[in-house]
Amino acid sequence: MTGGSPVFGRPGRARPVHLLPALALSVTLALTAASPATAASPATATTSAAQPAAAKPSTVKFPPGFLWGVATSGFQSEGSFPDSNWTRYAENEAPGVEDPYGNSVDFRHRYPGDLKLAKGLGVSVFRTSVEWSRIEPRRGHRDPAAIAYYDDLVRRIKANGMRPMLTLDHWVYPGWVADQGAWDDPKTQDDWLRNARYIVNRYKGQGVIWITFNEASAYIYKELTTRPMDLGQMMTMRDALIKTHRAAYDMIHQVDPGAPVSSNVAYGSAINGIFDAALFNDVTDKLDFIGIDYYYGANLENLTAVHSLTGEFWKIDPEPEGLYYVLKNYQRRLPHLPVYIVENGMPTDDGKPRPDGYTRSNHLRDHIYWIQRAMAEGVKMMGFNYWSLTDNYEWGSYRPRFGLYTVDALTDPSLKRRPTDAVPTYRSLIANRGVPSGYMPVRKPGWCSIADPIATCLGTTPTPPAAYRSVG
């Protein structure tokens, strides 16, 4: 997943708590110092987010052409993975690595069946990554078997009635790139763009939605803590990602005219200004839609996001209404662009029910409700991807379970896909274009959301339920 958190992007093994505050502070100072002052963060650009006092809350149905999807990534799900930075991190038990990678959920050989599961949900988008490590395992050598696999994967995505959303970099690069210094070496930018041009040329004209870098902030943070890097290397990587995204955006529009391009940003609650400063603030003119990953929020009645400091993400109480504020804030910053929720989901602790009884279905319905509220107030929604279709390798651990279909990767040699309660729920939401009028979210809104403190601490907390304003 790209499980955005208040400290970093994705869950894994518990980190040493004493290291995190210092690292977070260092990242904050470095990134915010380098970020343009004109790019306001969601937390500071909030003055118009409050619900007008006289307005009756309303929702709208999702339009017929809305892009419902599911998401995964190559390294996390494929298995049988070639030499890369992340196979090395797993093998060397780098910080945050608890479980061996093994064969993950073997998407590499089971993708025809997994695509049928996605089709059965009624989704119209399937997101994954085309892995550079697999395409070019050695500099200058492209693997014909890997190319044939991705060719067939894209073909089958389309044959199952879905549109490919392809990520060019989901935090993984070839071992030979690691050997040359990764993003420390300027050659990596040229190598990355050369590979990206090859992939875009191969799949142009097929309706692909392109993501350049997945969650640049979490990518940088993971390299900072797992590789590891010092702060100078971190700033070099940040600058390289910005330059490479900008060049990739222009290249994709040249090679695949009309294809939408973006880089999804992780929403990170109180320090989201840092997350945006990693790349987003410097590329807003090179985005065709606002890609947002939303997993967690916080308010003064729900401070459980502190569990992110120990990596125990399943202990965090979700804040569904935070998504409503996040959508409105990003839309206000870039009013000319539509918004796509590239990732949203909820981890459970090794597949066990949450102690509070809050289910994956509850989580999904509640978040969809708040998206419908934001749409009724002018947010131009383009799409929504659920993370993820199946459980997979969460950057060092199989313990956090995000899948609509759960897989016991460590204990079940058959890797059977077992549906969770959210499978029929998602299918119903898609078929009915959202939650019904009068839906009451299971999770009640909390007071004083960090996602929009001015509106929620000094204004009025939005109160469900809401009637449909109109039917799209």
Side-chain angles (χ1 to χ4, degrees):
M1 104 179 201
T2 307
S5 79
V7 177
F8 48 85
R10 299 192 177 213
R13 187 181 184 183
R15 275 77 175 171
V17 177
H18 67 282
L19 295 177
L20 289 170
L23 280 171
L25 178 60
S26 298
V27 173
T28 302
L29 293 175
L31 289 182
T32 53
S35 183
T38 56
S41 71
T44 58
T46 55
T47 53
S48 64
Q51 174 75 29
K56 182 178 180 179
S58 60
T59 61
V60 292
K61 280 186 176 289
F62 289 90
F66 186 77
L67 298 175
W68 297 97
V70 288
T72 186
S73 82
F75 174 76
Q76 291 180 267
S77 64
E78 286 177 348
S80 59
F81 210 81
D83 181 35
S84 71
N85 60 325
W86 263 98
T87 52
R88 295 182 184 189
Y89 298 157
E91 289 166 2
N92 296 330
E93 298 183 349
V97 173
E98 183 174 70
D99 297 324
Y101 177 73
N103 205 31
S104 188
V105 295
D106 196 27
F107 180 79
R108 170 70 177 79
H109 298 102
R110 300 168 190 251
Y111 65 94
D114 284 350
L115 294 178
K116 293 294 184 185
L117 295 179
K119 179 181 179 180
L121 296 167
V123 299
S124 52
V125 170
F126 189 92
R127 181 195 178 206
T128 189
S129 52
V130 179
E131 292 294 339
W132 184 9
S133 305
R134 200 178 288 283
I135 292 286
E136 192 180 7
R138 300 188 303 277
R139 179 194 286 277
H141 169 75
R142 295 194 176 102
D143 185 349
I147 295 167
Y149 156 60
Y150 285 119
D151 285 353
D152 192 56
L153 174 57
V154 171
R155 181 187 68 80
R156 287 178 184 264
I157 290 172
K158 297 184 65 181
N160 280 282
M162 295 176 287
R163 185 174 180 179
M165 176 182 277
L166 300 182
T167 305
L168 294 169
D169 190 321
H170 207 114
W171 307 0
V172 181
Y173 46 80
W176 60 267
V177 173
D179 290 339
Q180 77 181 18
W183 292 101
D184 296 353
D185 192 325
K187 290 197 302 289
T188 296
Q189 297 176 48
D190 294 333
D191 291 332
W192 191 99
L193 287 165
R194 173 177 49 79
N195 175 71
R197 180 178 288 273
Y198 174 81
I199 294 170
V200 175
N201 257 308
R202 194 155 191 95
Y203 304 120
K204 64 184 178 182
Q206 300 195 56
V208 175
I209 301 168
W210 296 101
I211 300 291
T212 56
F213 294 102
N214 177 76
E215 289 188 0
S217 57
Y219 189 8
I220 294 170
Y221 194 89
K222 277 293 187 183
E223 289 286 280
L224 182 69
T225 58
T226 308
R227 186 182 164 197
M229 302 186 298
D230 59 35
L231 291 180
Q233 291 171 300
M234 182 195 75
M235 294 307 299
T236 296
M237 181 177 177
R238 172 189 179 269
D239 291 344
L241 296 187
I242 290 169
K243 292 176 183 176
T244 306
H245 169 87
R246 296 184 66 84
Y249 178 90
D250 293 339
M251 178 272 291
I252 294 170
H253 279 285
Q254 177 189 44
V255 174
D256 194 11
V261 183
S262 192
S263 175
N264 50 318
V265 63
Y267 175 74
S269 195
I271 59 172
N272 209 64
I274 308 170
F275 284 35
D276 288 348
L279 182 139
F280 182 82
N281 290 344
D282 292 271
V283 301
T284 54
D285 60 324
K286 300 287 184 179
L287 301 172
D288 295 324
F289 60 91
I290 306 167
I292 297 173
D293 293 0
Y294 181 87
Y295 289 90
Y296 310 109
N299 59 65
L300 293 190
E301 294 179 286
N302 174 17
L303 299 176
T304 59
V306 69
H307 290 295
S308 66
L309 294 175
T310 60
E312 298 172 295
F313 291 83
W314 48 85
K315 291 185 178 180
I316 299 175
D317 292 335
E319 190 198 21
E321 75 275 14
L323 179 55
Y324 162 84
Y325 300 119
V326 169
L327 292 173
K328 294 188 71 176
N329 287 336
Y330 276 95
Q331 183 74 93
R332 180 164 49 252
R333 294 169 69 184
L334 298 173
H336 60 292
L337 294 181
V339 183
Y340 198 126
I341 298 173
V342 177
E343 296 182 22
N344 175 248
M346 182 184 79
T348 59
D349 184 6
D350 213 22
K352 296 188 290 288
R354 285 178 57 94
D356 61 4
Y358 195 62
T359 68
R360 196 173 298 283
S361 287
N362 297 150
H363 181 277
L364 180 54
R365 290 191 188 99
D366 284 0
H367 283 78
I368 293 299
Y369 166 85
W370 286 107
I371 296 170
Q372 290 176 249
R373 283 283 293 268
M375 288 169 59
E377 296 177 31
V379 173
K380 301 191 289 274
M381 288 300 304
M382 175 181 172
F384 172 92
N385 293 342
Y386 192 86
W387 183 278
S388 56
L389 178 64
T390 67
D391 296 332
N392 50 40
Y393 191 66
E394 289 297 333
W395 308 107
S397 176
Y398 286 106
R399 185 173 179 178
R401 304 286 190 99
F402 285 85
L404 292 167
Y405 287 84
T406 195
V407 184
D408 297 324
L410 294 178
T411 59
D412 178 13
S414 72
L415 298 175
K416 182 178 180 180
R417 277 67 165 144
R418 295 180 286 111
T420 66
D421 64 299
V423 167
T425 297
Y426 197 25
R427 187 181 296 125
S428 175
L429 287 168
I430 293 170
N432 295 304
R433 294 162 52 199
V435 298
S437 179
Y439 173 78
M440 176 68 76
V442 175
R443 183 76 65 184
K444 295 180 179 179
W447 177 70
C448 200
S449 173
I450 292 173
D452 199 335
I454 294 177
T456 60
C457 303
L458 304 178
T460 303
T461 301
T463 304
Y468 280 126
R469 175 170 58 79
S470 62
V471 177

